[in-house]
Amino acid sequence: MGMNMDQYTPEFTAKGVDGQQLLYLDSDRLKALGVSSQSDRSTIKKKLKDMRKTQEKLEKQKEKKEKEVRRSGKLPLSPDSFC
């Protein structure tokens, strides 16, 4: 009985939930999106938590790198470098 989050992803996306929003779904939101099974919800939430952790780690690494680059002064910060 392997619950597969991928089976829900297209449904979430169809309802306009993706990317960042996906990471912050809670039980009520999941229920509203059609995940009726309690165990599926908790599995999804566990997965999302892991994904959030990974993302936060990546963001921290990116920030650290950018700080180092800025400190070394190699990269002039031009306004259009922010998107």
Side-chain angles (χ1 to χ4, degrees):
M1 133 134 207
M3 142 58 199
N4 184 0
M5 183 160 162
D6 299 335
Q7 77 190 58
Y8 288 110
T9 308
E11 200 164 324
F12 292 167
T13 312
K15 294 191 167 118
V17 179
D18 58 1
Q20 287 291 62
Q21 284 179 293
L22 194 62
L23 294 178
Y24 297 98
L25 293 175
D26 56 18
S27 291
D28 294 335
R29 199 73 208 279
L30 288 170
K31 232 180 276 182
L33 288 166
V35 186
S36 48
S37 137
Q38 165 75 55
S39 62
D40 280 6
R41 282 199 302 271
S42 64
T43 306
I44 290 177
K45 282 196 298 193
K46 218 178 276 146
K47 247 185 185 151
L48 293 178
K49 198 174 172 186
D50 290 344
M51 283 160 67
R52 271 203 307 269
K53 265 201 203 108
T54 307
Q55 189 165 3
E56 279 162 17
K57 208 183 290 169
L58 288 174
E59 307 237 321
K60 280 209 178 71
Q61 285 171 354
K62 208 174 91 183
E63 270 172 34
K64 201 173 151 210
K65 238 187 223 111
E66 282 170 7
K67 270 199 193 101
E68 283 164 11
V69 168
R70 235 172 283 158
R71 204 176 297 126
S72 70
K74 276 198 203 94
L75 203 130
L77 276 177
S78 54
D80 61 4
S81 64
F82 296 115
C83 33

